[in-house]
Structures are given as C-alpha cells and as structure tokens.
C-alpha cells in the first residue's frame, strides 16, 4: 500500500468535495419532497461513500434510496439498489445479508428478456456462497448461471463460470474436476483470443499442480502464463506468478532461480506501490538467503518487512520477528565459530 500523503489545505474558494456537495443536494431534495430526485441523489451519494470506503454510510444511504424506489414502485431502481447493496455486503463479508439482497433481486427478475441479468445475479450469489465456504450451494448457483449463459451463447460468461467452478472444486480438493473446469475455461479464452483470461487460467492450472506437489507441471503452466500477463499489462498478476515460480524453484533446490523469481515479483510490486504484497516477496527472499547461509542479507530484508508490519499492524509481525531472531542466532553462531577458528590458528 502506498504511503498516505497529507493533502494541502483547501482554500474557501475551492469547489467542495463531491461527497459534501451531494450531502447538501440530498438535504435540498428532502426538503423539496421530489421523490425521483431524492432517490437519484441517494444513489450517487451512496456510491461516493462506497468509493471512499465508508461502507456503513453507503448502506444507510442505499436503504433510503430503496425505500423511495419502493414507494414509487420503481422496479428498475429497486433492482439496481438491491444489487449495489448486496455488492457492498459481499465486500464486508456480510454473507447472509448479501444473499438476502441478491434473492430479493432475483424475485424482481421475471422477464425472459432479463436472462443475462438473471445469470449474472445467480453467479454473484454463487460467489457469496463461495465466500461462506458453502461449496455445494456455490456450485449449484454457478451451474444455474451457466445453463442460462450457454443458452445465450455467452462465451465470456461461460468461461468465467468454469473458472469459478474450478476454484470451488480446488478448494474441495476435487483435483480432476478443477483441472477439467479450468481446461474448458482456457479453451474458451483461447477461442476468442482473450489474453488476460488465458493468463489467469494458466496461472490457476499452475497453482493446482503446485498444490498437488507436481512441481515440473506447475512450472510449465507458469512459464506459459507469464508472457501473456506481460501482454495484458497486469503487473499484479505477473508478480503473483513470479512469486509462485520462486516457490517452485525453491522446491527443486534451485535457490538462485528462486531468488530471481521473488526479485522479479518484488520489483513489479514496488513499481505499482503495493508494499503489503512486496513484504511477502521480501520475506520469501530472506528465507532463501537463510538457506544459502547469507544471513546478513536475510536480516536486511527481514528488517524492512518488520518495519512495514509494525506500521500497518500486519498479523504476520510475530512470525516475521521470530524468523529474524532465528536468523540472527545463526549469524551469531557463525561468528562464534569463526572466532574460535581464528583463536586456534
């Protein structure tokens, strides 16, 4: 995460921030009693709150919009509001409320012309079940969405659902079903030339092989994924694959290649200012340096990791400090051994 930089003080003549302007507009709409304008302003303000991370205020404002839409019997407005609220609840991990809201949205979607929206809502419901860890209900929701998308000939949607199914099967350790789902997903992405989709799916297949300890196969998938990530200009995705490459190379005992993979990941993450994930790459590099006996370099990296842990309150702080102490003890033992050799000489 990039460091927060204080903003300069604004002068009174400057335009008020969008949230403040919308809050003022909302008060005016309430006084005027214009229901349509009130609901529209509530929606805009809720979106603004959500964008700045004020999720509770966003939900409260969406609720006011929803009540107004219901009073006006505005089905389209209700639907948009319900799904927006459900998405926020999903982000907060409020699974039960998200499900209730998505199910309310599905009750409004009865027109056959709305099948794409119905399919999307079933898929979103599946994602909530997946977040809950209710794998079978997630699969059922994804399959319901898949059936509709297949009838519509929606190749991209079909591919994404096979991707989601693969993820659920992998979490259940249903390895072959996961592999088949992702293989289908990959073929669909290749058929329409979706570079990003191919890169993600190849990475998923590599991760699947990695979880099963099939290191050579995992490396093969990752090596196919990396150039596609570069074409799609997705540095975060590329960094994730490079980190995985480092892990696999470490399993082979190729420590220099493991370091190279972690270093590539670290460079990419630093370029996009993702300090949190950068600490993962630095920690992994430190452990490899420890394995190589490069204790000073390992300690240098761990010091940086711990400093960031302390700044953001990272849950891995205790583990990282324990690793630092372990490496420091090894360095002290090495120094003592050298000192004794020198004395004997």
């Amino acid at each position: 995460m990039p460091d927060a930089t204080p903003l300069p003080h604004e002068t009174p003549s400057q335009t008020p921030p969008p949230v403040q302007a919308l809050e003022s507009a909302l008060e005016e709409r309430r006084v005027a009693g214009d229901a349509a304008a009130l609901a529209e302003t509530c929606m805009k303000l809720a979106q603004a709150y959500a964008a700045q991370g004020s999720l509770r205020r966003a939900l409260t404002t969406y609720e006011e919009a929803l009540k107004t839409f219901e009073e006006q019997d505005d089905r389209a407005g209700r639907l948009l509001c319900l799904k927006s609220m459900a998405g926020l609840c999903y982000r907060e991990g409020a699974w039960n409320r998200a499900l209730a809201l998505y199910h309310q949205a599905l009750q409004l979607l009865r027109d056959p012309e709305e099948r794409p929206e119905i399919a999307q809502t079933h898929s979103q419901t599946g994602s909530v079940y997946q977040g809950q860890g209710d794998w079978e209900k997630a699969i059922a929701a994804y399959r319901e969405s898949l059936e509709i998308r297949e009838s519509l000939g929606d190749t991209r949607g079909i591919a994404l659902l096979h991707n989601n199914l693969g993820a659920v099967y992998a979490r259940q350790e249903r390895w072959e079903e996961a592999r088949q789902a992702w293989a289908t997903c990959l073929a669909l992405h290749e058929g329409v030339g979706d570079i990003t989709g191919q890169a993600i799916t190849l990475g998923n297949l590599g991760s699947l092989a990695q979880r099963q300890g099939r290191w050579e196969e995992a490396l093969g998938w990752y090596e196919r994924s990396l150039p596609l990530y570069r074409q799609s200009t997705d540095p975060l995705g590329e960094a994730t694959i490079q980190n995985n490459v480092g892990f696999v190379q470490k399993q082979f005992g190729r420590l220099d290649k493991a370091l190279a993979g972690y270093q590539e990941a670290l460079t990419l993450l630093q370029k996009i200012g993702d300090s949190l994930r950068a600490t993962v790459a630095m920690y992994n590099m430190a452990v490899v340096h420890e394995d190589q006996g490069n204790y000073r370099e390992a300690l240098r990296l761990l010091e940086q990791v711990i400093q960031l842990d302390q700044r953001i309150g990272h849950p891995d702080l205790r583990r990282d400090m324990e690793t630092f102490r372990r490496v420091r003890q090894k360095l002290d033992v090495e120094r003592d051994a050298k000192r004794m050799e020198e004395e004997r000489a």
Side-chain angles (χ1 to χ4, degrees), residues 259-280:
L259 279 175
Y262 291 140
Q263 181 61 64
E264 286 287 345
L266 178 60
T267 300
L268 288 162
L269 292 166
Q270 288 176 332
K271 280 183 180 177
I272 61 175
D274 193 334
S275 300
L276 184 61
R277 288 184 176 89
T279 61
V280 175

Side-chain angles (χ1 to χ4, degrees), residues 200-222:
I200 292 168
T201 310
L202 288 163
N204 288 339
L205 285 163
S207 178
L208 182 66
Q210 179 177 318
R211 288 180 63 185
Q212 294 177 278
R214 288 151 44 190
W215 311 123
E216 200 67 60
E217 181 185 339
L219 198 57
W221 292 119
Y222 293 148

Side-chain angles (χ1 to χ4, degrees), residues 259 263 266 282-283 285-290 292-304 324 327 331:
L259 279 175
Q263 181 61 64
L266 178 60
M282 283 192 285
Y283 179 87
M285 291 173 68
V287 172
V288 175
H289 279 299
E290 179 188 5
Q292 291 180 316
N294 300 328
Y295 302 132
R296 291 181 185 279
E297 182 61 17
L299 290 172
R300 184 187 70 80
L301 289 164
L302 288 167
E303 282 178 349
Q304 294 181 51
F324 182 90
V327 176
L331 179 61

Side-chain angles (χ1 to χ4, degrees), residues 50-71:
Q52 70 177 21
S54 302
L55 301 187
R56 293 187 184 281
R57 296 176 78 181
L59 282 170
T60 300
T61 311
Y62 274 130
E63 285 168 357
E64 184 176 354
L66 181 60
K67 183 179 178 182
T68 306
F69 285 133
E70 288 170 344
E71 290 170 351

